[in-house]
Amino acid sequence: MPFSRGSIRILRSGTRLAVQGEIVITIRDVAREAGVSIATVSRVINDSARVNDDTRRRVWDAASRLDFWPNGAARTLTTARTNAIGVLLPDLHGEFFSEVIRGVDRAAREARLQVLISSSHADTEGVLAAARTMRGRVDGLIVMAPDRGSQAAIDQIRTRFPMVLLNSRAAAKGGLALSVANYDGAYRVARHVLARGHGKVAILKGPRGNFDAEERLRGYRKALREVGTAATAVDELDGDFSESCGVIAAAQILRMTTRPTAVFAANDYMAIGLITGLREAGVRVPADIAVTGFDDIVIAQYVTPPLTTVRVDACDMGERAVRMLIGTTGPETRAPLNRKTMSVDVVIRESCGGATPRPAATSTRTTGRRTR
Amino acid sequence: MPFSRGSIRILRSGTRLAVQGEIVITIRDVAREAGVSIATVSRVINDSARVNDDTRRRVWDAASRLDFWPNGAARTLTTARTNAIGVLLPDLHGEFFSEVIRGVDRAAREARLQVLISSSHADTEGVLAAARTMRGRVDGLIVMAPDRGSQAAIDQIRTRFPMVLLNSRAAAKGGLALSVANYDGAYRVARHVLARGHGKVAILKGPRGNFDAEERLRGYRKALREVGTAATAVDELDGDFSESCGVIAAAQILRMTTRPTAVFAANDYMAIGLITGLREAGVRVPADIAVTGFDDIVIAQYVTPPLTTVRVDACDMGERAVRMLIGTTGPETRAPLNRKTMSVDVVIRESCGGATPRPAATSTRTTGRRTR
DNA sequence: TTGTAAGCGTTATCAG
DNA sequence: CTGATAACGCTTACAA
């Protein structure tokens, strides 16, 4: 290579990453190589102003010869734009989250935005600290804080970033918020099952303080109240959204003198653990006990018996959140989008005793997705 | 508030995010508020040099009064460090990926590193473009490119970033690489099943060109070769790692005049689809046909029958990748860590006909994780 | 059409 | 111990 290829920068010893030497080529190197000023190089690579065709070509040639990669941090500093969005999540576990992230990534890619992810924020301080480090690195934030006590942090974040609140309790004082119709979904699936008549019913709750869990609980309760005398006794079992606590709940149920004939689990993982625990004890689902879940994770239709549940399109939720954030809500909605709720579908499968009294939507979730 | 609270910056109209007005407080505001120079403020907030206790307190007071959030981009520009790592993935779908991301996030959090994620890079250009936009935004990259043809891009990226290659074919000319013992795992699970004696065996392959899929295929084939005369006929069915193609494969098998008595699926999703398809046609698993998977996704132990598979700790892989990248491999390994392979466990459950001839490890994956 | 130069918000190197 | 001030790599008025 006959020309200067920029300098090899040896990073300072404080550097954590084990960099040996890294080729660093700046706009200045390109300018020198092309025989123009750095301003012209900038204009060319950003296509931001009229540049002589010949000059333009020279610059592009130089840039590709040197394989120039613009520095994002420098751009950010001058433009006050990062072209990135941040996502703050409580925990990255479970299919629900990964689907949300997938949706976010998808919509972000479409809008040519990068995605910064930070998870496991149970407490206010964690969320706030994460948001803080994102200053100067993202243009906006998508925050999911289903637990109590994050309100203060959220309010503070809102003064610093455009933000969309996902599935959170937060009162949303004028902010953007997107949530799942937890209450509605729980109510509807419970109504469906209760229509068959059940004398004793149990509810397997989600984590205490979790907003989704609470909303679903409210929905179940409402359905039970409406059915009134039919379901006289209701047990509420504690759960934490994990499969294993479903297994534990099964054991609790087995110990009851009068077992429930239906159990509403606040999510699919718990429902699956519950079914497994019951089956191993020789209890038939749904013949002896009907079970329902929530979320419609991919596997719900493949367990035995296939799980009656409520479909939440987490991927779509992620996509929408991004669109809300960038203000491009698409043609379908021109409404003032302060608060939005994602509707859900009740998916009736065998675990609740079948599609009585009326047939309901069945899953179409079998398209050929590539999963790895 | 009696003091200047910084300026409200109205972002340029070109801005995509719907910012109204954003409080922007810089180190300069803090310096003015505290009555010191910006250099001193910097020293205090970074704790980078001795500062008079009184001055220090004044600065902290001013900073918190103004609620100063340092700008990451500016820091990056002067220090040449981002304190962030980038992750380039082929697709964010499926539990395997989400677990990898979880591991990455975990280890990154521990090392106080941010995580930039970019997925759906099927082709060389996509990977390269993503890496390019990360210049100045990350200190290093974790790249997963299981498909063919990414080699050129990877070589180019390596000149710009410290990088760890995940589960990739790449010849790794001196670079860091981490992969799963696909070959070994497939071989071992196949040997186990074949020990029961099978006259006809089928393999449900993963996507063409996918490195994991190819390695697993090699492993199965080797086991079959070794058993020799026992398994005379082997069918290789095409798959793409999705549940639905497992269902399709079941249909294909049902049409065969001589059905296989064992099927090795290259991942769990396909195995589950396969089992479902077979069962719906009245074929018993494992009595009529034994089935195995790969990955040991959470749900594998909950399907009916529980799935014999190969456990890959994807979360751990993500964590290790980060540690390799930051050169902190932990006390357990001081070996030259150019290439590393994650060992796998064969998990024998019912879907292959049980633990014959010798008992094998069973899943311990039932700890109370919180999944949502 | 192009070049010069002033920032952007920090950190780091000097003097004091 | 503290304060000026020069980078960092880029964009963008403003001049030429």
Side-chain angles (χ1 to χ4, degrees):
Chain A
M1 195 69 54
F3 301 98
S4 153
R5 296 229 36 178
S7 50
I8 301 283
R9 159 185 304 178
I10 304 299
L11 294 183
R12 298 175 190 71
S13 60
T15 305
R16 279 214 199 87
L17 291 188
V19 194
Q20 301 298 337
E22 198 180 322
I23 299 178
V24 178
I25 289 175
T26 74
I27 204 175
R28 215 170 301 272
D29 297 311
V30 178
R32 195 180 327 115
E33 172 90 356
V36 297
S37 73
I38 59 169
T40 298
V41 174
S42 175
R43 285 179 194 115
V44 170
I45 65 174
N46 291 302
D47 204 21
S48 61
R50 291 213 59 78
V51 175
N52 183 295
D53 278 352
D54 189 55
T55 314
R56 175 182 305 274
R57 202 164 346 98
R58 284 218 318 283
V59 170
W60 272 127
D61 284 355
S64 56
R65 198 155 49 231
L66 262 36
D67 195 20
F68 168 62
W69 294 17
N71 184 306
R75 277 187 162 164
T76 291
L77 205 51
T78 56
T79 59
R81 298 210 52 206
T82 65
N83 290 309
I85 58 176
V87 184
L88 266 41
L89 296 173
D91 193 342
L92 274 175
H93 206 273
E95 187 174 313
F96 182 80
F97 285 124
S98 71
E99 282 296 295
V100 170
I101 293 172
R102 181 156 169 264
V104 168
D105 183 272
R106 214 186 246 200
R109 156 173 316 273
E110 199 174 307
R112 306 189 148 279
L113 257 29
Q114 289 184 325
V115 180
L116 253 162
I117 283 189
S118 183
S119 76
S120 312
H121 302 295
D123 57 340
T124 308
E125 265 318 304
V127 176
L128 204 52
R132 206 186 291 265
T133 64
M134 291 207 172
R135 162 96 203 278
R137 321 194 73 159
V138 300
D139 294 328
L141 238 34
I142 293 173
V143 178
M144 190 177 221
D147 298 299
R148 281 187 193 292
S150 307
Q151 186 63 54
I154 284 171
D155 288 339
Q156 202 172 348
I157 293 170
R158 227 196 286 275
T159 63
R160 302 310 173 96
F161 289 109
M163 164 174 119
V164 171
L165 216 48
L166 235 47
N167 243 33
S168 303
R169 185 186 323 268
K173 308 163 184 168
L176 271 44
L178 182 60
S179 52
V180 168
N182 285 309
Y183 176 77
D184 178 56
Y187 170 76
R188 279 162 55 204
V189 76
R191 278 307 297 250
H192 179 97
V193 174
L194 292 172
R196 318 195 94 214
H198 283 276
K200 193 180 183 202
V201 173
I203 295 171
L204 179 47
K205 298 188 285 188
R208 197 174 301 274
N210 180 289
F211 186 52
D212 296 307
E214 287 176 5
E215 287 295 291
R216 292 171 191 181
L217 180 58
R218 282 210 306 129
Y220 293 137
R221 281 178 178 160
K222 186 194 176 199
L224 288 168
R225 264 200 317 277
E226 288 189 2
V227 172
T229 50
T232 49
V234 176
D235 285 298
E236 297 192 353
L237 305 171
D238 289 321
D240 62 4
F241 278 163
S242 74
E243 322 93 55
S244 56
C245 82
V247 177
I248 293 169
Q252 292 177 346
I253 287 171
L254 293 170
R255 281 197 301 272
M256 294 178 179
T257 46
T258 315
R259 292 180 187 163
T261 57
V263 183
F264 300 106
N267 80 343
D268 287 351
Y269 284 105
M270 293 197 298
I272 291 171
L274 180 65
I275 290 175
T276 303
L278 291 176
R279 190 182 40 231
E280 282 174 2
V283 177
R284 293 165 304 163
V285 176
D288 300 327
I289 299 183
V291 173
T292 68
F294 210 112
D295 285 344
D296 193 24
I297 61 178
V298 174
I299 224 67
Q301 58 184 307
Y302 293 106
V303 295
T304 311
L307 189 63
T308 290
T309 184
V310 179
R311 170 161 333 145
V312 177
D313 193 339
C315 179
D316 185 41
M317 180 152 120
E319 291 188 14
R320 280 187 201 222
V322 173
R323 287 199 225 103
M324 281 176 84
L325 194 58
I326 63 185
T328 313
T329 43
E332 78 276 11
T333 24
R334 287 276 170 243
L337 35 69
N338 283 344
R339 297 191 70 71
K340 269 196 176 179
T341 302
M342 308 256 318
S343 65
V344 296
D345 290 323
V346 173
V347 183
I348 304 300
R349 300 202 185 94
E350 291 171 33
S351 74
C352 72
T356 19
R358 50 167 182 203
T362 53
S363 175
T364 54
R365 257 201 175 170
T366 9
T367 43
R369 281 167 309 172
R370 167 126 173 235
T371 53
R372 176 157 174 193
Chain B
M1 195 69 56
F3 301 99
S4 151
R5 295 226 39 176
S7 50
I8 300 284
R9 161 184 302 177
I10 303 300
L11 294 181
R12 297 176 190 72
S13 60
T15 305
R16 279 213 200 87
L17 291 188
V19 194
Q20 301 299 336
E22 198 180 323
I23 299 178
V24 178
I25 289 175
T26 75
I27 203 175
R28 215 170 300 270
D29 297 312
V30 178
R32 196 181 324 117
E33 172 90 356
V36 297
S37 73
I38 58 169
T40 298
V41 175
S42 177
R43 284 180 195 112
V44 171
I45 64 174
N46 291 302
D47 202 22
S48 60
R50 292 212 58 79
V51 174
N52 182 296
D53 277 353
D54 189 54
T55 313
R56 176 183 305 276
R57 200 164 348 94
R58 284 220 317 284
V59 171
W60 272 127
D61 283 356
S64 57
R65 198 156 49 232
L66 263 37
D67 194 22
F68 168 62
W69 295 17
N71 183 305
R75 279 186 159 165
T76 292
L77 204 51
T78 57
T79 59
R81 298 211 52 207
T82 64
N83 290 309
I85 58 176
V87 184
L88 265 41
L89 297 173
D91 193 343
L92 276 175
H93 207 271
E95 187 175 312
F96 183 81
F97 284 124
S98 71
E99 282 297 294
V100 170
I101 293 172
R102 181 156 169 264
V104 167
D105 183 272
R106 215 185 244 199
R109 157 174 314 274
E110 199 173 307
R112 306 187 150 277
L113 256 28
Q114 288 185 326
V115 180
L116 252 161
I117 282 189
S118 183
S119 75
S120 311
H121 302 296
D123 57 342
T124 308
E125 266 319 304
V127 175
L128 204 52
R132 205 185 292 264
T133 64
M134 292 208 172
R135 162 97 203 276
R137 323 196 71 158
V138 300
D139 295 328
L141 239 33
I142 293 173
V143 180
M144 190 177 222
D147 298 299
R148 282 188 193 290
S150 308
Q151 187 61 56
I154 284 170
D155 288 339
Q156 202 172 349
I157 294 170
R158 229 196 286 274
T159 63
R160 302 308 173 98
F161 289 110
M163 162 173 122
V164 171
L165 216 48
L166 235 48
N167 241 34
S168 301
R169 186 186 320 268
K173 310 162 183 170
L176 271 44
L178 181 61
S179 51
V180 168
N182 286 309
Y183 177 77
D184 178 58
Y187 169 77
R188 280 162 54 206
V189 75
R191 278 306 296 251
H192 179 97
V193 174
L194 291 172
R196 321 194 92 212
H198 283 276
K200 193 181 183 200
V201 174
I203 296 170
L204 179 47
K205 298 187 285 189
R208 196 174 300 273
N210 180 287
F211 187 53
D212 296 307
E214 287 176 5
E215 288 295 291
R216 292 171 190 181
L217 180 58
R218 281 207 310 127
Y220 293 138
R221 281 178 178 159
K222 186 193 175 199
L224 287 169
R225 264 199 318 275
E226 287 187 4
V227 173
T229 50
T232 48
V234 177
D235 284 299
E236 297 193 352
L237 306 172
D238 290 319
D240 62 4
F241 278 162
S242 74
E243 322 92 56
S244 56
C245 82
V247 177
I248 293 169
Q252 292 176 347
I253 288 170
L254 293 170
R255 280 197 301 272
M256 293 179 179
T257 46
T258 315
R259 293 180 188 165
T261 57
V263 183
F264 300 106
N267 80 343
D268 287 351
Y269 284 104
M270 292 196 298
I272 291 170
L274 181 64
I275 289 174
T276 304
L278 291 175
R279 190 182 41 234
E280 281 175 3
V283 176
R284 293 165 304 163
V285 175
D288 300 327
I289 299 183
V291 173
T292 68
F294 209 111
D295 285 343
D296 194 23
I297 60 177
V298 174
I299 222 67
Q301 59 183 306
Y302 294 106
V303 295
T304 313
L307 189 62
T308 290
T309 183
V310 179
R311 171 159 336 143
V312 176
D313 194 338
C315 180
D316 185 41
M317 181 151 119
E319 291 187 14
R320 281 189 199 221
V322 173
R323 287 200 226 103
M324 282 177 83
L325 194 59
I326 65 186
T328 314
T329 43
E332 78 277 11
T333 24
R334 286 275 171 246
L337 39 65
N338 283 342
R339 298 191 70 71
K340 270 195 174 180
T341 302
M342 308 257 317
S343 65
V344 296
D345 290 323
V346 173
V347 183
I348 304 300
R349 299 201 185 95
E350 292 171 33
S351 75
C352 71
T356 20
R358 49 168 186 204
T362 52
S363 175
T364 55
R365 258 198 177 170
T366 9
T367 44
R369 281 167 309 172
R370 168 128 172 234
T371 53
R372 176 154 175 198

